[in-house]
Amino acid sequence: MVVINLSNISAGTRAMGRRGMKLAAISALAMASAACSTAYDSGMTTTAAAPSSAIDYVGWDGYLGGGDSSQYSALDQINRSNVSQLEVAWTYATGEGQPPIFSPTVGGGRMYVQNGQGQIVALDPATGSELWVSSLEGRGAGSRGVNYWESEDGSEGRLIVLNGGMLRAIDAATGQVITSFGNNGGVDLRDALADDVAMPGNPLMTNNPGRIYKNTVIMSLPAGAYDYASSPADVQAYDVITGELKWVFHSVPREGEFGYDTWPAEDHEKFGGVHNWSESTIDVENGIMFVPFGTARYDFYGGNREGDNLFANSLVAINAETGERIWHFQIVHHDLWDFDLPVAPKLMTITKDGQDIPIVIQATKHGYVFAFNRLTGEPIWPIEEVAVPASDVEGEHASPTQPVPTWPEPFMRLSFTEDDINPYLPEADQEALRNSLRNEWRNDGIFTPPSERGSISHPGHNGGANWGNVAVDPVNQRLYVVSRELPLLLKINKDNRESALAAMPNAQEDNVPWRWPVNFMLQSNGMVAIKPPFSNLTAYDMNTGERIFHIPNGEILTLEEQGITGVGAQAPRSGPIATAGGLLFVNTASDRAFRARDAATGEVLWEHRFDAATEGVPAVYEVNGRQYITVPVGGVGHFLGGLGLPEPGESRYVTFALPAGN
């Protein structure tokens, strides 16, 4: 284990793709990345531009607002002085099926949303009237969002979507699949996987919509299976017009590539996972793709994958033109907690020690904020390697240390003890938790390894920050994090089935599979085990790293009915939006609320209640000089089924604006 003492990081051929994919012209790129021997040796000579020089903060042409993932709008027609006047401008019912968490995208004069059947729908963004419904067969598209591409002369617009494992281009004006893209209208993402990896039998589907950079769409593959036998989740780049493969970045390094030696050599090509299932970010100013990778398979036992397992749990800066690694930082070594990086990296330029520094910010599931110079990877504040508890599971090789930022402060509690038991649980539930915490479970902090007797994981792998939960204001250098508190129990057991042993890479006589029966510790009344606040909204000044405010985020309807407020929403799955009007819009599901807060203080300035949950990330846009904000609404909400909430109303998109003429 190499200690990251501000200057080092632990580290460890491209193969031809199957079915004739022609990678010969780019095969040298992966080898070139091996020359970069430290996390901070970028090899780049580019200089950061002003924060708004190349990023369009006015449009909303991609998931999270655009490739920069800022969740920020420079529109200010709706502001602190008039937000109380917001009213519903239009609604669009999505019909039977899955409630929407799909974040709207606006481009080419149309808004793109998703209906209950998973099909993309184009709407008039000023009225909500339906313009077309796509006719994709099977699963229509990923559930979280889509990206819009437009030609330089504005004559053509495309949506690039993953549909049943096939990457497709859709004519944005008509909704029709463009058959000249790929092979008769599609590219199978499995085609560019190396021939010797564990090939997934089913099509590769992910809710991560990828990113568009110039005329390239960059897709992060899913892991293929939630098991030991899992394909590596490479990052692949394709031509937006033709579907031709441009480059591949291997999330599990191949022989000869940087990081190869952080994995066992035995069965190396059978290791998988390391998937960017969540979100990614394009720095258009510098041509960098920032990819936050997930854990290696299997998520909770790694005795067969001794080592740090790059690029698992790493923030990796990739040259968007070539696919070369520029720098990386591994945020969790040899992950045993499923502490993948679930949030899009955020970009801004800060002033520190009298210098303007372009930074990239990575929030995590386990409650920390990591900040780096986005050109070099150098930490903005020191990061220390801290000793962590050892594993008591046979065959496990837990890392003895883990990286912990010295600053900023975490955005949530990092432990769950008897003193933290939820007082709103039935007394029998509280007593059972007290007894187990005292006498049964391991509970040695956030890096307590899984064990046979059970280990507390808090923040658990569905806690902390998650997809869509983080926004930035690049003008005022603020970071906003929605976090959720959801402890879980990691109690793993040996899997003695012959089929399980056969599926495990590098299996040995004394190294057999272990599995975790899912236990999120939801109690008999549907509530989480930990006491309020169940969710927080935290704002940071990233020039200093200081917190601006740290407040409960939302409520729970059933507690509100008892006069209990200020507790925070349970398990929110929704995204904040910051605006130049001095506002922060945040939606929460357990109270079915959409709020506008003062972005400088967190004070609620306006609130609207729905008759159903609201999850996903809103969209802010302008049509004919009028500013709108659209939010998905529908269903009961994630982890909320046992709370006894009222039956939800219809699933729909709801759009707000100031009264016409204002």
Side-chain angles (χ1 to χ4, degrees):
M1 177 72 62
V2 178
V3 174
I4 302 173
N5 186 17
L6 305 185
S7 59
N8 294 314
I9 182 155
S10 181
T13 14
R14 187 177 314 284
M16 297 294 288
R18 68 182 65 233
R19 292 191 286 276
M21 299 299 289
K22 302 300 182 182
L23 286 172
I26 59 172
S27 62
L29 296 178
M31 296 297 292
S33 71
C36 185
S37 60
T38 73
Y40 311 139
D41 178 13
S42 72
M44 295 188 67
T45 58
T46 52
T47 300
S52 61
S53 63
I55 299 176
D56 173 17
Y57 292 118
V58 175
W60 207 268
D61 60 356
Y63 176 59
L64 308 182
D68 58 280
S69 305
S70 65
Q71 295 172 234
Y72 172 81
S73 173
L75 299 176
D76 62 0
Q77 182 182 87
I78 302 170
N79 54 58
R80 286 186 295 244
S81 69
N82 59 24
V83 67
S84 62
Q85 301 175 45
L86 279 184
E87 61 184 22
V88 174
W90 58 261
T91 63
Y92 174 77
T94 59
E96 296 295 322
Q98 289 296 314
I101 58 174
F102 190 95
S103 304
T105 288
V106 180
R110 293 167 289 272
M111 172 182 283
Y112 310 98
V113 298
Q114 190 176 59
N115 65 19
Q117 303 307 308
Q119 295 288 354
I120 295 177
V121 179
L123 307 176
D124 182 324
T127 65
S129 60
E130 189 176 284
L131 303 176
W132 55 254
V133 179
S134 65
S135 56
L136 298 171
E137 297 181 358
R139 183 174 172 182
S143 65
R144 294 208 303 270
V146 71
N147 298 303
Y148 173 82
W149 171 89
E150 189 170 271
S151 60
E152 286 190 18
D153 62 5
S155 62
E156 181 186 5
R158 294 185 174 195
L159 304 175
I160 309 297
V161 303
L162 190 59
N163 159 231
M166 300 293 287
L167 189 66
R168 302 190 190 279
I170 295 177
D171 186 323
T174 66
Q176 298 300 307
V177 171
I178 299 172
T179 57
S180 60
F181 180 87
N183 181 14
N184 195 32
V187 175
D188 191 325
L189 296 182
R190 294 173 293 183
D191 287 348
L193 287 171
D195 294 319
D196 55 355
V197 304
M199 177 55 55
N202 296 321
L204 291 173
M205 275 301 297
T206 173
N207 292 320
N208 181 344
R211 283 302 180 199
I212 292 176
Y213 173 69
K214 298 181 180 178
N215 292 334
T216 300
V217 56
I218 305 174
M219 294 296 299
S220 299
L221 273 61
Y226 186 64
D227 205 340
Y228 287 91
S230 172
S231 59
D234 297 338
V235 180
Q236 302 174 351
Y238 295 90
D239 187 286
V240 167
I241 302 299
T242 66
E244 180 182 357
L245 183 68
K246 289 187 172 183
W247 54 258
V248 175
F249 178 87
H250 294 128
S251 67
V252 178
R254 309 276 300 171
E255 187 169 6
E257 293 180 349
F258 183 88
Y260 174 82
D261 59 354
T262 65
W263 296 81
E266 186 71 24
D267 285 347
H268 185 277
E269 272 61 55
K270 294 183 180 179
F271 289 101
V274 192
H275 54 319
N276 170 223
W277 65 268
S278 54
E279 305 164 338
S280 55
T281 296
I282 289 285
D283 176 357
V284 296
E285 296 169 345
N286 298 296
I288 303 174
M289 175 84 165
F290 288 103
V291 181
F293 282 103
T295 187
R297 293 289 193 246
Y298 180 59
D299 300 45
F300 305 101
Y301 178 75
N304 64 317
R305 51 175 170 88
E306 184 175 2
D308 281 352
N309 308 142
L310 290 178
F311 289 100
N313 309 88
S314 299
L315 177 60
V316 183
I318 299 173
N319 186 316
E321 298 279 2
T322 66
E324 294 174 280
R325 181 188 68 92
I326 300 169
W327 61 265
H328 76 277
F329 190 96
Q330 188 174 57
I331 286 175
V332 179
H333 308 316
H334 190 80
D335 186 15
L336 302 175
W337 307 269
D338 195 18
F339 281 162
D340 51 47
L341 304 181
V343 179
K346 303 297 175 174
L347 311 176
M348 68 171 68
T349 296
I350 64 170
T351 301
K352 185 174 183 288
D353 300 327
Q355 294 185 331
D356 290 342
I357 306 173
I359 70 169
V360 57
I361 307 161
Q362 183 66 61
T364 69
K365 284 182 177 179
H366 54 302
Y368 293 120
V369 173
F370 289 80
F372 306 94
N373 182 311
R374 68 178 186 252
L375 299 182
T376 68
E378 181 179 1
I380 301 304
W381 294 281
I383 299 171
E384 297 178 347
E385 284 287 340
V386 175
V388 295
S391 174
D392 59 8
V393 173
E394 178 185 338
E396 186 55 86
H397 307 283
S399 173
T401 64
Q402 293 291 346
V404 174
T406 58
W407 196 252
E409 293 180 79
F411 49 78
M412 62 185 301
R413 289 171 289 189
L414 302 182
S415 64
F416 173 51
T417 69
E418 287 184 59
D419 293 337
D420 299 311
I421 292 173
N422 188 347
Y424 304 117
L425 301 178
E427 182 53 42
D429 289 1
Q430 294 186 50
E431 181 57 32
L433 286 169
R434 277 191 292 270
N435 181 64
S436 294
L437 284 165
R438 287 176 186 171
N439 305 313
E440 184 177 356
W441 301 329
R442 287 196 65 181
N443 190 16
D444 304 316
I446 60 173
F447 292 111
T448 306
S451 67
E452 285 186 270
R453 62 188 175 101
S455 294
I456 290 295
S457 180
H458 182 76
H461 73 266
N462 260 274
N466 217 292
W467 61 267
N469 285 171
V470 180
V472 290
D473 177 342
V475 176
N476 293 298
Q477 292 83 42
R478 294 178 186 144
L479 173 75
Y480 299 98
V481 181
V482 167
S483 59
R484 56 194 193 186
E485 310 247 349
L486 187 65
L488 53 84
L489 182 66
L490 289 176
K491 188 172 185 177
I492 63 173
N493 308 294
K494 282 186 178 180
D495 187 344
N496 294 315
R497 295 174 302 155
E498 289 187 12
S499 59
L501 189 63
M504 181 183 187
N506 194 27
Q508 300 171 12
E509 184 176 340
D510 60 348
N511 195 349
V512 298
W514 294 73
R515 295 184 189 276
W516 171 59
V518 176
N519 186 346
F520 290 109
M521 301 178 69
L522 295 178
Q523 303 298 299
S524 61
N525 63 355
M527 296 189 72
V528 296
I530 199 167
K531 70 182 181 182
F534 307 121
S535 171
N536 284 304
L537 176 61
T538 307
Y540 296 91
D541 178 343
M542 291 307 295
N543 292 300
T544 64
E546 297 278 356
R547 283 183 184 175
I548 302 171
F549 58 80
H550 177 70
I551 56 178
N553 171 48
E555 307 289 354
I556 297 178
L557 280 178
T558 48
L559 291 183
E560 280 189 301
E561 292 170 354
Q562 303 172 49
I564 300 169
T565 60
V567 299
Q570 179 163 304
R573 189 169 60 167
S574 46
I577 298 294
T579 76
L583 299 172
L584 186 68
F585 289 95
V586 188
N587 50 329
T588 43
S590 62
D591 56 2
R592 301 177 175 180
F594 187 39
R595 297 180 176 90
R597 296 178 180 268
D598 186 314
T601 66
E603 178 189 357
V604 175
L605 303 177
W606 169 86
E607 176 177 315
H608 182 92
R609 295 293 182 111
F610 301 111
D611 58 357
T614 171
E615 301 182 308
V617 182
V620 177
Y621 61 97
E622 185 179 57
V623 180
N624 297 327
R626 191 181 188 196
Q627 183 179 343
Y628 299 84
I629 181 164
T630 300
V631 61
V633 177
V636 174
H638 193 48
F639 287 117
L640 304 181
L643 289 179
L645 300 176
E647 283 297 310
E650 71 171 355
S651 295
R652 62 203 187 274
Y653 286 89
V654 180
T655 297
F656 297 91
L658 296 174
N662 275 28

